[in-house]
Structures are given as structure tokens and as C-alpha cells.
Amino acid sequence: MAKQEDIFKNVVSHAKEYGFIFPSSEVYDGLSAVYDYAQNGVELKKNIREYWWKSMVQMNENIVGLDAAILMHPTTWKASGHVDAFNDPLIDNKDSKKRYRADVLVEDFAEKIHQKAQKEIEKAKARFGDAFNEQEFVTTNARVIEYLAKEKEIRERLGRSLGAGDLADVKALIEELEIADPETGSKNWTEVKQFNLMFGTKLGASAENAMDLYLRPETAQGIFVNFLNVQKSGRMKVPFGIAQTGKAFRNEIVARQFIFRMREFEQMEMQFFVRPGEEMKSYEYWKETRLKWHLSLGLGKENYRFHDHEKLAHYANAAADIEFNFPFGFKELEGIHSRTDFDLKAHEEYSGRKLQYFDPELNENYVPYVVETSVGLDRMFLAVFATSLKEETLEDGSTRTVLKLPAVLAPTKAAVLPLVKKDGLPEVSRKIIEDLKWDFNVAYDEKDAVGRRYRRQDALGTPFCITVDHQTLEDETVTIRHRDTMKQDRVKITELRGIIENEVSMKNWLMKM
Ligand code: ATP
């Protein structure tokens, strides 16, 4: 099996070679942790966004959309707590001069211990076969018990010390665990310090009158400050939700994992407003619903897990992450947070305006509680892209690279390929494209032998190849080749739309939820 780092390297180079993702401003050697989405990447990203949007806004009568500006009044970030508390604990290695997030160093260490326990479980599973009872094994095997207890102890202590703002204890923990610089092995660490992640900018033409602004570090606050505008103009009744997708900016300390941790990224967030006291029911509902959404894409149930937070953010009374098995291990893909009435109350306080809802059934005013679902679009992209990229060995011993994207997300749904560049085959191919392009993204390719063209479309993740040959001229049939099985069927041109639609329609995929 290929090593994790090799798989990850392969993902990054495939994304570049096939026009999905380029480093930003590459002619100037790029900008650290900033990336551009290329001709195929932009389509895949748009499809993921649309898949999310439909499941939220179109499928739920009580959820509406919003597109708030990136620049907001600076008091927003005072009220939200970001000016004072949007910090990461950072630590420098004195020998390598490299900077790390102290919490991430400890979490990665805990994850390694978790993986050791997992390995023991896998070994036992292989040994005992069908007779294996995982539950029993986990609670009786001394080694597994020890690993899991150690992991829990580390995570809890980290949660406690971060929660109390005790950075000296985070440093002590790093030293006790003998955590070394992952790149150099040095254990010569500085103290742990706080670092604010917001990017500042200025509004206004003259230096004296310029106003200090921030690029938003999350999209959520645009929803909170518009809560009453949307509720009133949309005559919304609690419970209801507001959904938004858009850019967010964070001056991340450690940003070395491709599009997993970027300085400019996109979030897909939904804030659900509920009666005080009903937030836990809603929180459980959204945890389950969001996991179902992820599973509907078919990337494998085993690749997801929940991680309940030990350390809660200043605004939350419950929080969990949906973690995904990225090429570098399980990491946060989405956060589900019960944010209480913290944000709305804070905006009331700082703005002096009421942000309350009159509940006609209870005949009373209150500040609603909020349950948030927040997923990174770029992390979704990475999850989908990395998991779909496969090297396959075929029956004849040759290999192929295939990007088995969920068909609903594929940038191009079908490629039309004339077998040869003459005899009127290109013209027929163009006619098929003219007909299909109203419904699907379709591509045309006449360069190279048809086998090589199939391989190229496989690498791009195109679910169907339609080949036009001389028989097409006689009976209006073509061959349609399926990306995953490589099976080829002879079908009528008039059947193509139905066959493609059946596999790529968002409706069919969303119905799996
Ligand atoms: P992490 O702990 O990985 O830094 P977070 O807990 O700060 O993430 P949230 O503030 O909950 O993240 O943001 C919600 C979602 O936005 C995350 O689940 C993630 O998918 C995405 N996200 C956050 N930061 C980044 C980033 N720097 N680059 C890409 N996506 C991000």
C-alpha cells in the first residue's frame, strides 16, 4: 500500500496537472496557503456548493438563503468576541525556527495513540474473523484499554488547560509527552503564546479618517446581524434557518496542508434559530442530518466519525465535529455548534438595538437560541477529491488513474469522442453536444487514440464517454462507456439524455439522504 504522504503528494499533483487547483499567483512563486480553483476545480466546487445549498434551502421550507458582505462594521467583531478571543495558541521551536499550533501538536499526538488502539483492533478482527466482538475486545484487551485511556486523558487535559487559558500547562503537557518538532525532531520549545487570526484592513481614502476593518473570519456574523431583517421581511416563524456560503479569512499559523487549511477559504454555514430550551433537540437533529448528507455522497461510512468537543468555545453549550479520514488522518470537516443566545445578545448589547422575536404561540418576546452547522467548502473538495482518486490495476496488468467522483459532482458529465477526425464523425459528435449541452456540462475531444482519450476523461472524473463511429452514421447509435466499470453499451442517440440524467441528477442523489 502506498504511504500516506505519497497519496497526499499524488492528490496535490493530480489537482494541478488536470486543471483543478493551482497555487495562487504561481508566476511569483505562489502565496502561502492561498490557492486558485482552475477550470475543472471551479466546476467541482460549484457542484458541491449547489448540493449543499439545495439540501438546505430548496429542501427546507423554513430555511432561507443570504449573501452578506465580507466587510462588516468593526464593532461586529468586538461583539462576537473575535477581537479578544479569536486566538490560536502558538509555539515556536527554538532550533528549527518553525512555528506550530500547540493544540494541534498535542491533538496529533493523541491521534497517534488512537491509531495504535485501532491497529490492535484491526489485528484482532483479522485473527478472529466473524467471531470477533469489537465491543467486548475494546473493553477487555489490556493494551487497547491503556491506549484509549491515555488518549482520553491527554485530550481532557488539553481541553481543560485551553478552556482555563492556562498556556503554561499546554507547554508542560508538550514537554511531559516529549512531543518533538514533526520536521526536525527537536524538543527545544518556546513558551506558548496567543495569536489573533483576523486579517485587518482599512476603509477610507485618507490615512487620518480611515476606519480599521477586518476581513470576516467566519460567515456566521453576517447572518446574526441580519437575523431580524430576514425574519421580518420573510415573515419567518421560529424555528427557522438562514443559510449562507462565502469567503472567510484567517491568518492561520500553520498552513501546510494544501486546501485543508487556507488563509482565504469558503464556508457553507446555516444558523438555525430555535426557542430557548429547544436547542439540544435541534442540535441532535442537525448532527444526524448533516452526517446523512455526507453519507449520501457514497465516500464510505468508515471515513466519518463524530468528535465531541471537550473544550467549548466561549459561545457554545455543546459542540461536535464531523471528522473525515483525509490522506493525513481524521480531521475536522464540519462543525455543529449549539451557540446559545450568545451572538444575538452580544449584538443587542453592542448595537443598542433589540434582536428579539415575538412568538405568537407563547405570546412573548425572546432572543432565540442558535444551532449552527458549518462546513468548509474547500475541505469538502479535498475530502471528495482525495477519496475519489484511485490507481487501478486492470485485467491485462496495465494500470489506470481514475477519479471516481460522485457523478452528481463531476465537473463534466460526458465527453463526446469521434472515433476518427474525418468521414463526418466530428460533425455528428458536435450535433450530440449541441443537444446535450442545455442540460449537462459536456466536452468534446478528438485528439489521440480513443483509448488515451478514455484515460484522460477517467483522470478528470467524467462519468460517461460517448463514442461516435461509422455505425453511428448508419443507425444513429453510439457506444456509451461508464467510467467506473469501463463497461460499454451500444445505445440510441435519443437515449443518451435519460441515461446520463439518471446517474447525475441531484434529485436522485439527495433522495439517498
Ligand atoms: P480547525 O480547528 O481545523 O482550525 P475550526 O474549528 O477553527 O477548524 P470552525 O471555526 O468551526 O473551524 O469553522 C467551520 C469550518 O470551516 C471547519 O469545519 C472547516 O471545514 C472550515 N475551515 C475553518 N478554517 C479553515 C481553513 N483555514 N481553511 C479551510 N477551511 C477551514
Side-chain angles (χ1 to χ4, degrees), residues 91-157:
I91 190 164
D92 291 300
N93 187 282
K94 289 185 198 161
D95 297 328
S96 71
K97 309 278 180 252
K98 296 238 182 264
R99 179 162 280 191
Y100 295 94
R101 255 174 72 174
D103 56 335
V104 172
L105 286 178
V106 176
E107 276 165 11
D108 284 352
F109 188 87
E111 178 60 24
K112 273 193 197 128
I113 298 179
H114 182 87
Q115 290 307 334
K116 281 186 188 166
Q118 211 53 40
K119 248 193 203 138
E120 293 293 327
I121 298 170
E122 294 304 325
K123 267 200 308 204
K125 211 183 253 173
R127 196 162 0 115
F128 295 115
D130 287 346
F132 184 62
N133 179 337
E134 183 166 334
Q135 190 58 32
E136 195 186 309
F137 184 76
V138 169
T139 46
T140 53
N141 180 281
R143 223 181 262 167
V144 172
I145 292 174
E146 192 189 323
Y147 285 143
L148 293 180
K150 182 83 191 154
E151 182 199 356
K152 186 157 179 269
E153 185 194 316
I154 294 171
R155 288 193 194 274
E156 282 179 355
R157 171 143 165 223

Side-chain angles (χ1 to χ4, degrees), residues 101 250 252 260-262 265 267 332-333 374 376 379:
R101 255 174 72 174
R250 296 182 187 178
E252 297 279 4
F260 178 82
R261 192 174 298 289
M262 297 156 93
F265 60 100
Q267 290 184 313
E332 171 174 345
L333 172 61
S374 176
R379 283 192 194 174

